[in-house]
């Protein structure tokens, strides 16, 4: 891996076995991502986007192929070190926000910092700083059901970046939002990317993908470098 490469996939295959039928959902994915990139993975429903995201985020393992994240060969890690890699390297953002409903905005953002063993005073300052960054400093004590969809997604983004992960990994981050609110989320991604954060955003929406600095397409489990003209 070159110095500024943070992710490298070679020949990644994912098979799902149902009964005696094997379906190959990822068919030999090669992908290299450099620090500071804002990458969109664009593909239609069923093309394998979430399957790929789960592998990138170390939530699932490939059937075949080699995956390195921050230089570490993922297949070599045991469950405990995988969990550690997930916490340290990846900040997840999901279509349905996936906030803890019984915890406030503050507590949701604090959680990854507790996992990271950050001392309480530092943690408090960090949570406030993160909620301020997503312009929700005035909503710290609100529960998710007291926030709009766009506000919930901003809490989720604050949570995702709180522990300063290597990559921000977003699966259809604007999928549950109206166009205007979605555009605000994309603006936020732009400013996070300007700060040097690496973003991988998965989407079926060409318009959303067009905001990234690099687009790769996934179709039927195969990846190709692409732009928006070759649709
Ligand atoms: N656990 C599983 N077992 C069997 N097949 C699966 C499993 N998960 C996904 N698949 C199949 O893999 C294919 C890709 O699914 P995936 O969820 O990765 O698609 P996607 O691109 O994220 O779609 P969408 O845009 O609808 O979210 C689909 O045909 C799906 O049915
Ligand atoms: Mg999906």
């Amino acid at each position: 891996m070159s110095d500024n490469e943070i992710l490298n996939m070679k020949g990644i295959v994912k098979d799902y076995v149902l009964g005696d039928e094997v379906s190959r959902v990822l068919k030999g994915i090669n992908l290299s991502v450099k620090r500071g990139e804002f990458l969109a993975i664009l593909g239609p429903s069923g093309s394998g986007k979430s399957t790929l995201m789960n592998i990138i985020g170390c939530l699932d393992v490939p059937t075949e192929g080699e995956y390195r994240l921050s230089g570490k060969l993922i297949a070599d890690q045991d469950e405990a070190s995988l969990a550690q890699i997930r916490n340290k390297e990846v900040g997840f953002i999901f279509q349905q926000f996936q906030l803890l409903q019984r915890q406030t905005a503050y507590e949701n953002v604090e959680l990854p910092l507790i996992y990271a063993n950050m001392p309480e005073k530092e943690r408090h300052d960090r949570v406030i700083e993160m909620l301020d960054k997503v312009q929700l400093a005035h909503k710290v004590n609100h529960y998710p059901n007291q926030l709009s969809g766009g506000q919930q997604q901003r809490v989720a983004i604050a949570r995702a970046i709180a522990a300063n992960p290597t990559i921000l990994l977003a699966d259809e981050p604007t999928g549950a939002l109206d166009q205007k609110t979605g555009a605000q989320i994309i603006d936020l991604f732009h400013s996070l990317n300007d700060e040097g954060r690496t973003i991988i955003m998965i989407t079926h929406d060409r318009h959303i993908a067009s905001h990234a600095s690099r687009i790769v397409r996934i179709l039927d489990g195969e990846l190709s470098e692409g732009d928006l003209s070759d649709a």
Side-chain angles (χ1 to χ4, degrees):
M1 280 175 80
S2 73
D3 280 353
N4 62 350
E5 184 181 50
I6 58 170
L7 178 163
N8 187 289
M9 290 188 151
K10 282 200 180 77
I12 294 294
V13 166
K14 182 69 185 182
D15 290 336
Y16 286 118
V17 183
L18 293 172
D20 48 24
E21 226 178 275
V22 178
S23 65
R24 182 148 293 191
V25 173
L26 299 178
K27 299 174 178 168
I29 303 271
N30 299 312
L31 179 66
S32 161
V33 178
K34 292 190 176 60
R35 198 170 293 278
E37 273 193 304
F38 182 178
L39 173 72
I41 299 177
L42 174 65
S45 180
S47 56
K49 300 185 299 297
S50 295
T51 304
L52 180 59
M53 163 158 169
N54 289 341
I55 293 174
I56 293 174
C58 305
L59 295 166
D60 198 3
V61 288
T63 310
E64 290 170 26
E66 206 178 272
Y67 176 33
R68 281 173 202 273
L69 180 59
S70 286
K72 294 184 201 84
L73 193 57
I74 294 305
D76 285 353
Q77 313 296 321
D78 59 22
E79 207 27 70
S81 37
L82 262 190
Q84 211 175 25
I85 290 173
R86 254 190 321 262
N87 289 335
K88 188 166 169 292
E89 309 282 352
V90 191
F92 291 95
I93 297 162
F94 299 96
Q95 179 170 352
Q96 299 298 340
F97 326 133
Q98 305 215 7
L99 298 173
L100 297 173
Q101 295 299 317
R102 288 167 187 279
Q103 309 228 305
T104 61
Y106 184 98
E107 291 164 338
N108 269 282
V109 177
E110 186 183 29
L111 202 61
L113 302 178
I114 294 175
Y115 288 145
N117 291 318
M118 188 181 279
E120 186 167 1
K121 170 74 176 81
E122 197 183 334
R123 214 161 67 209
H124 174 266
D125 293 350
R126 181 78 181 163
V127 172
I128 299 300
E129 184 192 341
M130 292 301 105
L131 283 169
D132 195 38
K133 192 187 275 293
V134 299
Q135 291 167 353
L136 286 175
H138 58 304
K139 301 280 186 187
V140 286
N141 292 321
H142 285 234
Y143 289 89
N145 67 3
Q146 299 169 327
L147 296 168
S148 71
Q151 289 169 342
Q152 289 183 63
Q153 192 59 303
R154 275 146 60 200
V155 173
I157 292 170
R159 176 181 63 182
I161 60 177
N164 207 15
T166 314
I167 329 176
L168 217 51
L169 190 54
D171 193 355
E172 301 281 4
T174 65
L177 304 173
D178 64 47
Q179 222 174 25
K180 180 160 166 269
T181 313
Q184 290 167 357
I185 297 299
I186 295 296
D187 283 348
L188 186 54
F189 280 0
H190 274 293
S191 62
L192 295 172
N193 182 238
D194 288 344
E195 289 174 4
R197 288 176 197 278
T198 309
I199 302 176
I200 301 180
M201 177 175 72
I202 288 169
T203 183
H204 69 276
D205 184 328
R206 293 160 48 97
H207 178 71
I208 295 293
S210 71
H211 292 279
S213 47
R214 175 181 162 209
I215 298 172
V216 295
R217 291 171 168 274
I218 182 166
L219 198 62
D220 200 17
E222 294 185 88
L223 209 66
S224 56
E225 286 295 323
D227 54 41
L228 290 172
S229 59
D230 58 358

